[in-house]
Amino acid sequence: MGSTDGSSSKSSLIALTVPRLAGGLLVSAALLGLYLAPETFIPFAMRKKGKKKRVRVYMDGCFDMMHYGHCNALRQARALGDELVVGVVSDQEIIANKGPPVMSLDERMVMVSAVKWVDEVIADAPYAINEDFMNKLFNEYNIDYIIHGDDPCLLPDGSDAYAVAKKVGRYKQIKRTEGVSSTDIVGRMLLCVRDRPSSDSHNHASLQRQFSHGHSHKAESGVSSSGTRISHFLPTSRRIVQFSNGKGPGQDARIIYMDGAFDLFHAGHVEILKRARELGDFLLVGIHTDQTVSVHRGPHHPIMNLHERSLSVLACRYVDEVIIGAPWEITKDMITTFNISLVVHGTVNENDECMNGEGDPYEAPKSMGIFRIIESPLNITTTTIIRRIFANHEAYQKRNEKKVESEKRYYEDKTYVG
């Protein structure tokens, strides 16, 4: 998206080299036999004699509170070309068009840059694609097509943010990922902190209704009695395969293991996973079950369910493989089964959740001398994000009042996109 004043001239380009990491789910692509590399679409007019031009596609967004739906959109966009360039909208542009973002530009850049289907990132991208910025994309960044989802993206004046790209025939549409939106996620966050002092109860109840899809006090189809929509995410083997790398570790690979909830997958997760991956050849990540997370963090956690959290972690370029529903305790048998060379844990976590008097879940790797604490580069947790929402709740309330209506219209008018 881009601005109407051409302020994107100061945008910076960060080139990313996508590492060829081996990996995949335990329910692997190889076992399922479902992995197919996307066919490359090469426009006839863009072919050079004797050599095919690499098709470069552009997709932009705010990518605030980035989730697996964003990642799936980037995956689909990448399948329409050979190289994917992603524009991350500036904080100022988001404030002007939608209201304040929850995550800073730096945090959003970390998240987008870590998605394994992204080749290059443009910082401070404008919100609306105007003619000047479109020409800059075509001429300076050699973009062939501009991509967006099938949900409408409207400017404050009601106009289409991608109108100019559509007019010149350089626009392509992808399918929006079902069952998730930032609006829905905010509603879930509010639900997990609903037990607040009585002085906060009125404001909190109002916030919860505004941030969620539901509008009434009564439970509706797919909406809980608290007003927050229950996730309608429908996990399929195909989606898991699409996110998987499809290969296992080499015979002599040094396998690093790290586990956790990875709820509301954020920049702190990305940076610690990057650091863990640097310690070996293959990073295996264990994702704890919903029940395990709830026991250790409270009845309203996790905010994202097990499959949602697994997809978010799988989309990270530093992760080779995930265990969906990893055990809380790491046993010697598990270490042998997966040939784990080193078990690591970060210094930043939710309330020292791993050491809560129930016994040390890392006792086995410690006794074997293969456990290491690594410094967490960022001091951010799921609780940090929830606190940000409440610290600026009035602004988010206004922002989401409009968003809820647009979400409702999208689902009412939704049609199939192949």
Side-chain angles (χ1 to χ4, degrees):
M1 296 170 287
S3 69
T4 55
D5 57 11
S7 62
S8 62
S9 59
K10 297 182 180 180
S11 299
S12 59
L13 177 64
I14 301 176
L16 301 175
T17 301
V18 181
R20 297 295 182 182
L21 301 178
L25 271 173
L26 294 180
V27 186
S28 70
L31 290 176
L32 292 174
L34 294 173
Y35 180 81
L36 291 175
E39 293 183 1
T40 303
F41 172 73
I42 306 294
F44 180 82
M46 295 181 179
R47 295 180 183 177
K48 294 181 179 180
K49 188 175 182 179
K51 183 185 291 186
K52 292 183 178 180
K53 177 187 180 297
R54 294 184 65 80
V55 175
R56 287 167 60 84
V57 296
Y58 173 83
M59 188 172 194
D60 58 16
C62 301
F63 302 106
D64 198 17
M65 292 194 300
M66 193 165 183
H67 49 71
Y68 68 92
H70 292 130
C71 297
N72 191 47
L74 295 173
R75 180 192 66 79
Q76 292 181 79
R78 178 63 173 74
L80 294 176
D82 302 298
E83 297 173 0
L84 173 61
V85 180
V86 180
V88 182
V89 177
S90 69
D91 293 342
Q92 294 74 20
E93 288 274 278
I94 297 176
I95 292 171
N97 289 276
K98 300 178 68 174
V102 178
M103 316 301 287
S104 69
L105 175 63
D106 288 343
E107 290 169 332
R108 292 183 287 117
M109 286 289 293
V110 168
M111 295 300 297
V112 174
S113 299
V115 176
K116 61 187 177 184
W117 298 289
V118 175
D119 297 290
E120 298 172 10
V121 181
I122 300 174
D124 291 318
Y127 190 82
I129 301 286
N130 59 35
E131 190 168 351
D132 289 340
F133 184 70
M134 180 179 68
N135 289 333
K136 182 176 183 179
L137 289 175
F138 294 160
N139 298 324
E140 294 185 25
Y141 295 113
N142 298 315
I143 298 300
D144 297 300
Y145 294 107
I146 295 170
I147 316 294
H148 188 63
D150 62 333
D151 52 321
C153 182
L154 303 179
L155 300 176
D157 63 4
S159 60
D160 185 349
Y162 295 91
V164 292
K166 293 177 180 178
K167 185 177 180 179
V168 297
R170 304 281 287 274
Y171 174 87
K172 287 185 177 292
Q173 182 173 280
I174 59 171
K175 181 181 179 180
R176 171 176 167 163
T177 304
E178 69 285 348
V180 66
S181 70
S182 297
T183 308
D184 176 49
I185 293 172
V186 172
R188 300 189 213 177
M189 281 193 284
L190 292 169
L191 183 64
C192 81
V193 287
R194 66 184 178 185
D195 298 322
R196 298 175 65 84
S198 58
S199 60
D200 294 345
S201 61
H202 175 72
N203 289 337
H204 179 268
S206 175
L207 275 172
Q208 185 166 298
R209 288 193 298 273
Q210 296 294 345
F211 277 126
S212 68
H213 286 284
H215 296 282
S216 68
H217 295 281
K218 299 179 180 180
E220 300 172 11
S221 177
V223 181
S224 72
S225 59
S226 64
T228 300
R229 182 179 211 148
I230 298 172
S231 173
H232 284 166
F233 171 60
L234 302 175
T236 63
S237 60
R238 183 177 179 219
R239 181 56 48 82
I240 291 173
V241 169
Q242 288 169 339
F243 275 54
S244 170
N245 290 328
K247 294 182 180 179
Q251 185 174 358
D252 299 320
R254 177 174 168 82
I255 300 174
I256 309 300
Y257 180 75
M258 188 173 199
D259 63 354
F262 297 99
D263 199 14
L264 287 179
F265 196 66
H266 51 68
H269 292 138
V270 167
E271 293 291 6
I272 194 67
L273 290 172
K274 179 181 180 180
R275 187 156 293 185
R277 182 60 174 79
E278 292 170 348
L279 298 175
D281 308 305
F282 190 92
L283 179 58
L284 174 64
V285 178
I287 315 294
H288 293 150
T289 66
D290 295 346
Q291 182 179 5
T292 296
V293 177
S294 181
V295 166
H296 292 274
R297 295 194 184 180
H300 304 304
H301 292 273
I303 292 167
M304 310 294 284
N305 69 41
L306 176 60
H307 286 91
E308 292 175 314
R309 292 181 283 121
S310 297
L311 288 179
S312 292
V313 175
L314 266 179
C316 180
R317 68 173 69 249
Y318 308 116
V319 176
D320 297 288
E321 175 78 290
V322 304
I323 299 176
I324 301 176
W328 177 255
E329 180 183 358
I330 302 171
T331 64
K332 289 184 178 181
D333 180 70
M334 177 179 170
I335 292 170
T336 301
T337 298
F338 293 103
N339 195 28
I340 295 170
S341 304
L342 182 67
V343 177
V344 298
H345 187 67
T347 55
V348 173
N349 53 68
E350 296 279 354
N351 303 319
D352 294 325
E353 59 182 11
C354 297
M355 313 297 175
N356 61 359
E358 293 185 5
D360 187 352
Y362 300 108
E363 182 178 353
K366 285 179 178 178
S367 68
M368 298 169 67
I370 60 169
F371 178 79
R372 185 187 302 180
I373 295 288
I374 56 178
E375 188 70 25
S376 299
L378 296 178
N379 186 21
I380 178 175
T381 66
T382 301
T383 300
T384 304
I385 299 172
I386 294 173
R387 287 174 178 168
R388 290 180 186 181
I389 293 290
F390 275 88
N392 202 13
H393 63 269
E394 291 184 359
Y396 292 121
Q397 181 174 3
K398 292 178 181 178
R399 167 179 165 177
N400 277 57
E401 284 175 356
K402 296 180 180 179
K403 187 63 177 176
V404 165
E405 288 301 322
S406 65
E407 293 265 314
K408 183 179 178 181
R409 287 194 298 271
Y410 167 77
Y411 282 104
E412 288 175 347
D413 300 335
K414 181 179 176 180
T415 58
Y416 174 78
V417 176

